Amino acid sequence: MDPLSDVLALLKPRSYVSAGLDAGGAWAIDFPPPDGIKFNAVISGACWLSVDGVPEAVRLEESDCFLLTSRRAFRLASDPALEAIPSDAIYSIARDGIATCNGGGDFFLIGSRFSFSGGNSDILLGILPPIVHVKRDSDHAAVLRWCLDRMTRELRDQQPGGFLMAEHFAHVMLMQVLRLHVASPNARGVGWLFALTDRRIGAAIGALHADPARKWTLQSLAERASMSRSSFALHFKEMVGLAPMDYLTRWRMLLAGDRLTNSAEAIAGVALSLGYESESAFSTAFKRVMGCSPRQYGRAQPPAGAMRDSLGPQ
C-alpha cells in the first residue's frame, strides 16, 4: 500500500452516515462538537459555516465539501447574524434520514462522521487545520462529485443495502478530500501528509512504509530520493518535522502498537519482524516513543497522549 493508505488502515476509520439537512427560508442551526472527523457536502443552495475558535465564517456553495477535524462546536446558517436553534430540535425528529428546517426546499446537505477505532487519531488530525474546505471548482474533483451524487441517491431512495453503500462512498470521499487538500496551492503544513506531495521525499516515505524492517540508513534513503545525504536530511526535516530515522522509528512503533493490541503475537516476534535484533532494544525504543513498555501497552489502553504527534514534530 501507499503511505496514506497505510496510515488510514492503521487508524481503522469507520463512517457513520448522518442525517441530511433540508432547510428553507432564513435559518441557523448550532451543532455540538463532533466526535472524530465531520464530513459534509452541500448538494444544493448555499450557507455559512462558523466554527468555534475560527475567526471568520466560511461561505459554502453548491457542491462544496468540508471536513471538521477537531472537537469544536459549529454553526450552519443562511445568515451568520441569525439566532440559531440547537440541532437536536430538528434532528431528533428527522424522518428517513433527513432533518427538515423551515419546511426545506432551499438548501440540502449530506454528511458523515468518521471515528477511528484504531486510536492514534492525532497522526492525521494533528496536522490538519480545523476546517478543510474543498470548493466545487477544485481541480480533479470529478470523483468527489460522482460520489456525492451516488451518496445522495442512497440516502434519498432508501434501497436495500443503501446504508452500507453510503458508508463506502463516505470513505472514498474522505480520501479524495484529503488528496485535494494537500494538492491545493493554498494548503501549507508540516507533516507526513504534506510531504507526500513532494516527489523525492514522498518516494523515501513510501520506501520506509513498504519495508519498515529493512536496515535503512540515511544514505540509502537519500538514494531513494535521488538526493545527496545532507540535502535529503535537511529537506526531510523541513517537510515532515522529524529526521528520517526518527520518522522510521515512530512508524515502526505505531505498527508494533497495533499488532500488540490486535493480535496474540509475542513481543519478540513483533520486534524481529520490524528490524530489531533483540527484544530489549525494541522495548527501549517502544517505551521512548509510546510512553510505556510493550507489555503494558498490550495489556491495556496506552497512557493518555502517549502517541500525540507520533508522526510529526514535537
Side-chain angles (χ1 to χ4, degrees):
M1 292 194 293
D2 62 274
L4 178 54
S5 299
D6 284 340
V7 171
L8 289 178
L10 192 68
L11 297 182
K12 300 176 177 63
R14 174 165 182 156
S15 66
Y16 301 85
V17 178
S18 56
L21 172 62
D22 188 6
W27 57 276
I29 304 170
D30 280 334
F31 293 83
D35 181 16
I37 284 183
K38 180 71 173 176
F39 170 83
N40 279 320
V42 178
I43 304 304
S44 61
C47 74
W48 290 92
L49 165 67
S50 303
V51 176
D52 279 1
V54 177
E56 296 183 2
V58 175
R59 178 68 173 175
L60 301 171
E61 305 285 350
E62 183 175 319
S63 296
D64 282 6
C65 303
F66 66 93
L67 297 179
L68 300 180
T69 64
S70 60
R71 289 185 57 83
R72 305 184 191 206
F74 66 100
R75 172 180 296 189
L76 295 174
S78 60
D79 182 342
L82 293 172
E83 184 176 351
I85 63 171
S87 59
D88 280 352
I90 58 171
Y91 279 85
S92 61
I93 55 174
R95 299 182 60 186
D96 297 326
I98 309 274
T100 303
C101 183
N102 289 349
D106 297 324
F107 174 85
F108 189 73
L109 170 146
I110 59 172
S112 292
R113 176 177 61 84
F114 294 90
S115 65
F116 298 101
S117 58
N120 309 334
S121 60
D122 276 341
I123 298 172
L124 178 62
L125 303 187
I127 60 175
L128 293 173
I131 304 172
V132 174
H133 180 201
V134 176
K135 297 182 180 180
R136 60 182 174 182
D137 56 354
S138 299
D139 292 340
H140 312 298
V143 172
L144 198 56
R145 286 192 293 270
W146 182 83
C147 285
L148 282 172
D149 177 66
R150 296 303 310 170
M151 190 173 179
T152 303
R153 292 185 187 185
E154 295 296 338
L155 190 61
R156 282 176 161 164
D157 294 348
Q158 301 289 301
Q159 293 292 318
F163 181 80
L164 185 59
M165 289 283 287
E167 277 199 332
H168 287 314
F169 286 130
H171 277 82
V172 172
M173 287 190 287
L174 173 62
M175 184 74 77
Q176 190 67 2
V177 167
L178 291 174
R179 285 177 174 177
L180 292 171
H181 174 62
V182 298
S184 168
N186 298 321
R188 295 290 184 272
V190 174
W192 63 270
L193 181 61
F194 297 97
L196 296 180
T197 62
D198 182 280
R199 179 180 57 82
R200 297 173 299 177
I201 301 303
I205 293 176
L208 291 177
H209 280 245
D211 191 3
R214 180 172 173 172
K215 295 185 182 301
W216 291 103
T217 64
L218 190 59
Q219 181 62 41
S220 62
L221 288 171
E223 290 172 358
R224 288 298 181 102
S226 300
M227 301 174 70
S228 70
R229 190 171 65 173
S230 58
S231 294
F232 169 72
L234 179 61
H235 195 41
F236 192 103
K237 180 69 178 290
E238 288 175 344
M239 296 207 71
V240 180
L242 290 170
M245 305 315 292
D246 288 338
Y247 180 93
L248 172 60
T249 299
R250 295 183 186 196
W251 178 241
R252 284 172 169 173
M253 295 307 108
L254 288 169
L255 293 174
D258 181 63
R259 288 160 66 176
L260 290 170
T261 302
N262 297 299
S263 77
E265 191 171 357
I267 294 174
V270 173
L272 184 63
S273 70
L274 290 174
Y276 289 87
E277 296 180 355
S278 71
E279 183 178 332
S280 62
F282 166 75
S283 296
T284 299
F286 190 94
K287 187 171 184 178
R288 183 175 69 251
V289 173
M290 308 298 265
C292 64
S293 71
R295 200 170 305 279
Q296 290 170 326
Y297 190 95
R299 288 175 177 170
Q301 292 295 321
M307 293 158 293
R308 192 171 188 83
D309 299 325
S310 49
L311 286 182
Q314 293 297 289

